[in-house]
Amino acid sequence: MNESYAERGYAERGYAEREYAEREYAGGGQKGTRAGGVIITAVALLATFLVLWGLYYATGTGERHKVALAAAGCEPNLLSVNVGCTTVWMLERRWTQLTTSDLRQLNADAADYAFSERRSFAKAESALTAEVTTANAFDTSLRQFPFPPAVAPQATALTQAVHARVKLIGEQARSSSLAQLRSFNARIDASGAAIQTDMKLVRKALFTRPTVNQEP
Amino acid sequence: MSTTRDYQPGPYPREQGRYPAEPDLYPAGYESDDAREFWGDDRGAAADHQPRRRWSKIADEWMEGRIKFGGTGVKRKTAALILLGAWGFLPLFFMLPSLFTFNTNTIGGSVDDTLGTGAMVNLFMCLLVTPAVTLTRQRWFVPLRRWYGIMFACCGIGDALGAAFFDDFAGNPFAKLVEHTFTLIGFLMVLLAIPLFITSNNWAQRKMGRYWKRLQRLTYVIWGLLFFHLATLEGFGFQRGSNGSGFAGDGDAIFHQRLYQYCACSLFLLTVRLPPVKRWIAARQQEGRNRLVFMAVMPIFALFVFGFIFIVNELIFKGTHSFMENPSSE
């Protein structure tokens, strides 16, 4: 019962709509669809203009590429798929990410050692082992960092300084007494100062924009 | 008394064999706001005007055929849907290595770019289905709308979670989502996407009846909010220092500007949805002037492609960096 009513309802509605459709589309349906025609024509013209303008704009890509390289401070020898260069800003951000996390951990390990060097040999040794692990991780990160050729000498010096410190801490960790541990402190501090100096040099070299002559 | 089970689209005859009870095959949901938009369809009453079979129908029927695959038969439609739909999963695939290794550096550094851009791609693909039906009169790809919608929601929710817990903004997770205008709008979009995601199944559709369709129209609100999200994210389309489309060293800064990409894509998606335009297209198709329709639509679609390829470029670029757990700093 219900279904037959529904069917009848649909049939009636279908008839009414068919009638409407015939009216609507009679004579090509020009009257009822004029607004749509105007809208689609206007939008199509706008889109045509924009596509043509986009193609025209694309023809100047090469020239703008060179200008953009200089303007954004790109390092010319580092490739990035999207922008064709690595910008100083990109290097800066990556360098900051690298140094912030690793140096924070190294400082924490050093503080642990400083706290334990006169109290507990085991804790001091454990802090040194942790520091060696962190320093090794920092060294790995440095080796993976995309240093531009211009920064390579400073980067090499930094890597060597980190290596020297890691070696020194490793020797310190093998000490047999607290007094022997403390005997390394002066050399460790000196290696730390050398690392800081090298990091400043790397940072300065890294954040300096390339000159026009360096552009490809 | 009418029930949701009795619900059938108005002008169509009840031919279960011809129109199987698959929700995606109905012109319901966010596709159809006006029953008249389908009058030009060969399934409607106006089909009487053209007794010959249409190529769109032939294509639909051909897609129902089977192809041999590994000793068994697979529907062409199923194979095509899997091939087309697999791309929707790409953004999440890019993030899988960092999720498996719980690499918070990668998640925090690139989840917003990879999943955010992925959500945008999926939303546009979802919204593209209806214009494609309008223009081609084929329906075999309609299930993709739901799939891309689900993928959009997954990417959006993943983006919000990543931003809340791993982004380097200040404050607690909730504060990170609401402290900037663009994050607040993005958060609103995700909140709206959640009910759509939950109800994106046949059971919910049956239970909710006509309210399901109304709920699904929230997709349009999300689409609108995306404009404001991108506008506030990238300085209303104007580059100001580092606030804009980024340091597009390839010299195509305008093409990388996400607000422009959005506008280029949305122009096509919006125009073909306008009821007068749909009526015009249906009328021209009734007259057999398909070429005129395609001539009119082609420039608008070309603009869509122009914008869309740069969104995909962004997704692949950022996505591959995320996949290698070396998040892009751009």
Side-chain angles (χ1 to χ4, degrees):
Chain A
M1 183 76 178
N2 212 0
E3 194 160 308
S4 65
Y5 175 78
E7 276 173 357
R8 197 165 61 242
Y10 287 128
E12 283 165 6
R13 208 184 312 173
Y15 174 76
E17 287 173 351
R18 183 159 57 239
E19 204 174 42
Y20 183 91
E22 282 165 359
R23 256 201 333 267
E24 183 85 356
Y25 295 130
Q30 294 295 334
K31 192 179 173 186
T33 62
R34 191 171 293 156
V38 170
I39 292 171
I40 202 163
T41 306
V43 176
L45 285 173
L46 174 68
T48 306
F49 170 76
L50 289 173
V51 169
L52 290 175
W53 183 84
L55 292 172
Y56 171 75
Y57 176 79
T59 58
T61 298
E63 270 312 300
R64 280 194 307 275
H65 178 57
K66 283 187 177 176
V67 175
L69 279 170
C74 290
E75 292 294 346
N77 293 302
L78 297 172
L79 281 180
S80 162
V81 180
N82 203 36
V83 300
C85 71
T86 299
T87 63
V88 167
W89 175 79
M90 286 157 57
L91 283 176
E92 182 185 326
R93 188 173 159 185
R94 196 163 166 183
W95 176 255
T96 308
Q97 277 177 350
L98 167 73
T99 50
T100 304
S101 58
D102 284 356
L103 291 184
R104 188 182 295 156
Q105 187 57 46
L106 281 171
N107 286 334
D109 293 337
D112 278 353
Y113 168 74
F115 180 77
S116 315
E117 67 178 349
R118 292 183 185 280
R119 293 181 179 84
S120 164
F121 177 72
K123 283 184 182 173
E125 206 172 23
S126 154
L128 286 173
T129 310
E131 194 175 343
V132 169
T133 309
T134 311
N136 276 326
F138 181 53
D139 180 46
T140 308
S141 303
L142 280 178
R143 272 189 272 125
Q144 288 174 346
F145 194 87
F147 288 110
V151 191
Q154 292 89 334
T156 309
L158 175 62
T159 311
Q160 284 171 351
V162 172
H163 272 250
R165 187 178 163 92
V166 168
K167 195 177 168 187
L168 204 56
I169 297 172
E171 284 176 24
Q172 188 184 22
R174 284 194 291 276
S175 303
S176 52
S177 65
L178 281 174
Q180 198 180 351
L181 276 180
R182 287 195 295 272
S183 68
F184 282 87
N185 285 358
R187 279 185 286 165
I188 295 283
D189 290 345
S191 71
I195 288 176
Q196 278 191 352
T197 310
D198 286 333
M199 283 188 68
K200 278 179 189 167
L201 290 173
V202 167
R203 188 181 165 82
K204 192 179 173 188
L206 208 55
F207 294 1
T208 307
R209 292 191 172 198
T211 61
V212 177
N213 295 335
Q214 287 177 294
E215 304 297 348
Chain B
M1 181 162 171
S2 127
T3 65
T4 54
R5 206 169 292 181
D6 293 327
Y7 177 75
Q8 293 276 328
Y12 304 137
R14 302 182 63 162
E15 293 176 35
Q16 291 301 321
R18 204 172 156 204
Y19 308 118
E22 186 180 337
D24 279 326
L25 291 181
Y26 292 133
Y30 25 74
E31 174 193 334
S32 166
D33 293 336
D34 182 358
R36 284 179 296 170
E37 71 192 50
F38 285 92
W39 284 4
D41 196 332
D42 54 354
R43 295 192 302 173
D48 297 349
H49 294 283
Q50 287 209 348
R52 66 188 170 86
R53 294 174 78 213
R54 292 194 174 186
W55 63 271
S56 55
K57 183 155 180 57
I58 294 168
D60 277 341
E61 285 174 0
W62 187 82
M63 275 294 179
E64 291 295 324
R66 301 181 89 82
I67 49 171
K68 282 188 178 177
F69 181 75
T72 180
V74 178
K75 266 189 181 178
R76 288 193 188 98
K77 176 181 161 182
T78 309
L81 290 179
I82 289 171
L83 285 175
L84 290 171
W87 298 102
F89 189 72
L90 195 62
L92 293 169
F93 178 76
F94 281 139
M95 291 308 297
L96 281 182
S98 56
L99 286 175
F100 286 148
T101 56
F102 203 66
N103 185 336
T104 52
N105 186 37
T106 301
I107 297 173
S110 68
V111 72
D112 44 356
D113 284 323
T114 307
L115 290 188
T117 311
M120 191 172 165
V121 167
N122 276 311
L123 179 66
F124 283 149
M125 290 303 288
C126 173
L127 292 167
L128 184 62
V129 171
T130 299
V133 171
T134 306
L135 291 169
T136 66
R137 297 287 156 187
Q138 294 178 36
R139 303 193 60 80
W140 62 268
F141 47 76
V142 169
L144 284 173
R145 182 172 51 202
R146 175 181 296 189
W147 168 250
Y148 283 125
I150 290 170
M151 285 295 104
F152 156 72
C154 291
C155 289
I157 292 167
D159 183 9
L161 288 174
F165 291 101
F166 303 109
D167 219 327
D168 52 5
F169 290 148
N172 61 45
F174 180 72
K176 286 180 186 179
L177 290 176
V178 298
E179 66 190 4
H180 295 280
T181 315
F182 73 91
T183 53
L184 178 64
I185 297 171
F187 183 49
L188 278 176
M189 288 162 63
V190 171
L191 287 182
L192 290 175
I194 289 171
L196 300 183
F197 177 62
I198 293 170
T199 57
S200 62
N201 54 73
N202 293 347
W203 181 82
Q205 191 175 15
R206 276 199 306 276
K207 288 288 175 194
M208 293 179 70
R210 62 199 169 100
Y211 296 107
W212 184 85
K213 184 176 165 181
R214 287 183 189 174
L215 181 71
Q216 294 296 321
R217 284 190 187 142
L218 283 175
T219 309
Y220 293 132
V221 180
I222 294 173
W223 183 15
L225 284 174
L226 182 58
F227 173 86
F228 294 103
H229 176 65
L230 296 176
T232 47
L233 177 67
E234 300 206 327
F236 289 90
F238 298 102
Q239 187 84 33
R240 290 189 202 91
S242 62
N243 183 21
S245 59
F247 296 92
D250 62 356
D252 290 331
I254 289 180
F255 298 152
H256 291 294
Q257 174 52 266
R258 276 175 255 199
L259 188 65
Y260 299 161
Q261 294 166 353
Y262 170 93
C263 292
C265 292
S266 295
L267 189 66
F268 172 74
L269 299 173
L270 181 66
T271 305
V272 182
R273 273 185 167 79
L274 295 174
V277 173
K278 286 176 111 170
R279 282 197 292 274
W280 182 85
I281 291 171
R284 299 294 84 78
Q285 286 174 335
Q286 280 292 313
E287 295 165 3
R289 297 169 73 187
N290 280 314
R291 190 171 294 175
L292 178 64
V293 172
F294 280 96
M295 290 278 283
V297 168
M298 194 49 72
I300 316 172
F301 184 68
L303 189 65
F304 172 87
V305 173
F306 219 127
F308 196 70
I309 52 173
F310 280 96
I311 305 175
V312 174
N313 165 272
E314 174 90 6
L315 171 65
I316 292 174
F317 174 68
K318 297 282 172 64
T320 44
H321 278 232
S322 302
F323 189 76
M324 293 186 289
E325 301 198 59
N326 181 22
S328 168
S329 51
E330 283 175 47

